Amino acid sequence: MPPYDIAILTTGDELLSGEISDSNTRAVAGILSAHGYRLRCSLSVPDQEKEIVAALEYLIGHVQFIIITGGLGSTGDDRTARAAARALGQPLVVNDEALEMIRRWFARRNFQMEPNNERQALLPQLAQPLQNPLGTAPGFRLQHKGGCELFFLPGVPAEMQAMFRTSVLPVLQQKMPNVNPQQQRTLKLFGLSEPKIDRMIPYQQLPAGIDVAFALDYPLVLLKLKAAGNDAEYCLDQAEALLLEKLGDYLIARDGETPEGNVGKLLSNAGLTLSLAESCTGGLLTTMLTSQPGASAFLERAGITYADSAKKDWLNVPALLLQQHGAVSENCARAMASGLRQNTGTDLSLAITGIAGPDGGTEEKPVGTVYISLASASGVHVKKYTFSGDRNQIQRMSATMALEWLRRFTLQQMEK
């Protein structure tokens, strides 16, 4: 049996209307991949019994294991158990073991159990209930006469993941043992496009068995190196070292690292203090840096100097400068960073001003025009950028570019 004879079926009208994203498929795929398995396919269907039945019947004929999430709640639109009974030709009955699981859940928390919660114990006759440690809805396991195993889990991501690890993964490992987990390294690159990176990779020199894949976590390009087998770790080491010779200057993070986390560590290790003045990014850079523990070691203060009045009052930007050059200009960005450093006395002061859109652009200064300025003991540096994309993308690109400025400056200081 191949280690990819697995499918996931997610149910829910909200998945198909765009109200929420399908995080359960991503989570299951990630857990499977870490243990050497992978999904053959995934499907999403609405909360309609007929659609769920059709999807189950199709998947039963194509894979050996199906993970179904969603539709096990206590409301009228939770129809998965009924659809499962219909698809496998079994009557729907009150499962005493499942009912006891539900009652114990409420009793342990001293909560009042509603009559509707008893509906969660209505399962196909041959279902084997699965304990849900985080919620009221028990999961259940069924086996089709053709050998296909079906695992029904709640749609709530935290509940689903906990039950998948305790009730589903052990069965897969028992049924499909001796699987070599695929190992992966992820290089997070900033400042190069995917085609440019692809041209720079010396594919012919990579060790045998190394797979290279690309993904985008805007504005970062994720370069993924994958390998399996006993020598996977060694091959990945060799491949990573080879790629860093070509691309190391653009490496902003690895694997579970974040650019903001790495920049924070660099600033802390270098003993540099920082102050920020954000305009078009609206505090995004500050949020990114303070999302990491230990930010107080380097970040002295930050302000959202959105209006001209804030730039004048907080940063000492001259009113005449704003009148002559505008808030989105090299002169203003320079004055923002230098004024902030004068007021704070921090080692570094960084300012961002620009037009994130969708309105406000002109022929001279189109949407996406952004100035970044960094003030330090060595002077004030300013650069103009013209970023593309929507408002969110322009803001993210601006904040990430500012992180890149801080990363490169700090590395240069540490080398000195």
Side-chain angles (χ1 to χ4, degrees), residues 395-410:
Q395 289 177 324
R396 288 205 64 81
M397 177 62 85
S398 302
T400 306
M401 183 61 75
L403 287 173
E404 179 69 346
W405 276 46
L406 293 171
R407 181 183 78 89
R408 290 180 179 268
F409 181 90
T410 306

Side-chain angles (χ1 to χ4, degrees), residues 173-370:
Q173 293 173 319
Q174 179 186 6
K175 298 278 187 176
M176 294 188 289
N178 304 319
V179 174
N180 285 323
Q182 190 176 58
Q183 298 189 45
Q184 177 176 302
R185 305 274 177 86
T186 301
L187 306 181
K188 301 179 181 181
L189 307 172
F190 179 71
L192 292 174
S193 64
E194 289 184 66
K196 178 66 173 177
I197 295 171
D198 189 53
R199 289 195 301 270
M200 295 173 67
I201 296 175
Y203 285 101
Q204 300 302 320
Q205 300 177 42
L206 292 175
I210 291 288
D211 290 328
V212 178
F214 288 87
L216 187 64
D217 182 15
Y218 189 85
L220 308 181
V221 175
L222 308 185
L223 181 59
K224 300 181 180 182
L225 307 175
K226 303 177 183 180
N230 296 329
D231 60 347
E233 193 76 20
Y234 174 78
C235 291
L236 287 171
D237 286 341
Q238 298 299 307
E240 184 174 346
L242 182 63
L243 291 178
L244 289 181
E245 290 181 10
K246 306 289 185 180
L247 301 164
D249 197 39
Y250 301 92
L251 180 71
I252 198 167
R254 282 186 176 89
D255 296 318
E257 299 172 348
T258 63
E260 54 268 32
N262 286 348
V263 168
K265 290 175 185 176
L266 281 173
L267 290 168
S268 296
N269 292 338
L272 296 174
T273 55
L274 172 69
S275 54
L276 301 172
E278 298 187 64
S279 183
C280 64
T281 46
L284 177 59
L285 177 58
T286 305
T287 299
M288 294 170 73
L289 286 169
T290 56
S291 68
Q292 310 300 310
S296 59
F298 62 87
L299 184 62
E300 195 271 346
R301 75 182 69 176
I304 303 174
T305 53
Y306 214 70
D308 287 358
S309 56
K311 295 177 177 67
K312 289 185 289 187
D313 296 342
W314 289 2
L315 306 176
N316 300 327
V317 177
L320 182 60
L321 183 153
L322 290 167
Q323 292 173 4
Q324 292 180 339
H325 302 281
V328 180
S329 65
E330 177 180 340
N331 302 72
C332 183
R334 185 183 299 275
M336 288 170 66
S338 59
L340 180 62
R341 188 164 186 268
Q342 289 171 8
N343 289 341
T344 62
T346 53
D347 298 309
L348 303 175
S349 291
L350 186 142
I352 307 174
T353 182
I355 305 170
D359 303 317
T362 64
E363 185 175 344
E364 181 183 354
K365 298 177 183 179
V367 169
T369 301
V370 175

Side-chain angles (χ1 to χ4, degrees), residues 24 27-28 67 69 153-165:
N24 282 342
V28 167
I67 298 101
T69 73
L153 308 176
V156 179
E159 297 178 27
M160 186 283 299
Q161 291 184 44
M163 294 178 68
F164 182 84
R165 292 182 183 277

Side-chain angles (χ1 to χ4, degrees), residues 72-74 81 93-123 129-140 154 159 163:
L72 302 184
S74 58
V93 300
V94 175
N95 186 291
D96 293 335
E97 183 180 354
L99 184 58
E100 183 58 27
M101 287 179 179
I102 299 169
R103 288 172 174 166
R104 284 201 305 267
W105 192 92
F106 280 95
R108 282 196 299 268
R109 292 159 179 79
N110 198 28
F111 291 165
Q112 178 67 39
M113 180 174 166
E114 299 294 334
N116 275 4
N117 289 113
E118 294 188 2
R119 296 179 49 168
Q120 296 173 306
L122 280 171
L123 304 180
L130 303 175
Q131 183 71 48
N132 181 352
L134 302 179
T136 62
F140 59 95
E159 297 178 27
M163 294 178 68

